Amino acid sequence: MKAIYADDGADRGQTVNIFQRLIRQDKVIAILGPTLSNSAFAADPIAQQAGIPVIASSNTAPNVTKIGDFIFRTRACRKIRCSRLCYATRGRSAASRRWL
């Protein structure tokens, strides 16, 4: 197995180009990334259509994983994180909440 690194420069169009190259030319078996949710909405459908799993660590937009069953993330969306944080800090003083 060999890792291939590509930087999209936070450009959605570049993300699409990179996904196309990774899938069509490099014949990857999975993609780790992209970093931004906006880039994921642009490029993840390409991987979904090709049956290539995408695993992103920082995509937090609520509907990213609804792109398809080959699209995954390792971080919960903002709505879930915020509700868990509110639950965890309920009843605590402002000083103790500062450390969460």
Side-chain angles (χ1 to χ4, degrees):
M1 189 179 304
K2 176 178 131 184
I4 300 171
Y5 171 80
D7 183 358
D8 66 6
D11 179 327
R12 291 170 52 124
Q14 186 64 13
T15 309
V16 168
N17 292 336
I18 290 169
F19 269 47
Q20 289 172 338
R21 188 195 77 229
L22 291 172
I23 293 167
R24 295 178 185 156
Q25 293 175 12
D26 298 325
K27 308 289 187 199
V28 298
I29 59 169
I31 296 174
L32 303 177
T35 302
L36 303 176
S37 295
N38 285 338
S39 297
F41 284 119
D44 284 1
I46 297 166
Q48 175 65 33
Q49 185 177 13
I52 301 295
V54 174
I55 303 169
S57 62
S58 61
N59 295 168
T60 57
N63 295 321
V64 168
T65 56
K66 291 183 180 178
I67 292 170
D69 55 351
F70 285 94
I71 310 302
F72 305 93
R73 66 171 160 218
T74 61
R75 186 173 190 172
C77 69
R78 285 183 212 111
K79 184 177 178 182
I80 292 171
R81 288 194 334 264
C82 289
S83 67
R84 287 179 183 166
L85 181 62
C86 289
Y87 179 79
T89 61
R90 188 176 9 177
R92 294 181 185 223
S93 69
S96 66
R97 283 195 305 257
R98 185 174 46 198
W99 299 104
L100 290 177

